[in-house]
Amino acid sequence: MAKAGKKYGDCDDKVAGKSQQVDTASTSWRADLAKVDVWYASYGSNMWKPRFLCYIHGGKAEGMIKSCVGSMDKSPPKEIVWKTFPHRLFFGRESSFFWGVGGVAYTNPLTNLNDQTHMLEQFNDVLFQENWLNVDSDSPLFDLAALQLVENQGSISLVPASDSLYGNVVCLGKEGDIPILTLTCTLSAIEKFKSGKIPLRPPPKAYANTLIRGLVEEGRFSKEEAEAYIDNAASKPL
């Protein structure tokens, strides 16, 4: 069940991967933040390991139309566990850089005990690439001050990523005293999705298949259950 460099836990229905937050490259911020671990919770296409590793190693997975540049630190996640969180999964926007026409996955930053999102990690470099920013940056998007702030407040919007696809970092709790972080849209974007200013849109087939593979290949869902979960998220109004 495990691939090299990854260990799978027995928690329910969602995957969160733990890795070094950043690498040990030449810039001083990387050297400092490389000492800090976080869990990165993925609820979208990154649940499928080959797709997530594009953000680490570079390249593209089946169905993607653009390649990722990869992280400065190429080491894989230290651990992976599955968990369930009470946040609504939905799909929105007209198109995306890596997948083309069709919606991409988001989770509502606000908790709703009636909703569940089934959730994998390298943090700053994933954050750069999710928001189409340059990995080779002189400063991090998410530093130790931001980590403390998100633990205290629950979520923070990042500048200059606040207007991008995934400019909001949400703390979902802790696993083994290490914060569990995920990326999604801002609360203001949620209101725009509800009003129709930003469209809700089902994901393209290749993108949806990637989510389904991530849920099925570790034996958590049957294919039919995974398809129903994605179809429900794509069709249910916010």
Side-chain angles (χ1 to χ4, degrees), residues 109-129:
L110 299 177
T111 298
N112 185 335
L113 297 178
N114 294 319
D115 289 320
Q116 290 185 342
T117 299
H118 298 283
M119 300 203 150
L120 185 158
E121 192 46 42
Q122 219 89 10
F123 200 67
N124 266 284
D125 284 347
V126 173
L127 188 55
F128 283 130
Q129 292 174 83

Side-chain angles (χ1 to χ4, degrees), residues 13-55:
D13 294 341
K14 184 153 279 186
V15 69
K18 185 176 77 173
S19 149
Q20 285 187 323
Q21 185 178 334
V22 288
D23 58 44
T24 53
S26 57
T27 55
S28 60
W29 69 265
R30 290 184 178 275
D32 292 337
L33 296 188
K35 303 168 187 175
V36 181
D37 282 351
V38 297
W39 291 94
Y40 162 55
S42 172
Y43 51 87
S45 62
N46 290 344
M47 289 189 295
W48 188 42
K49 297 183 298 295
R51 193 287 174 246
F52 174 73
L53 289 176
C54 295
Y55 280 140

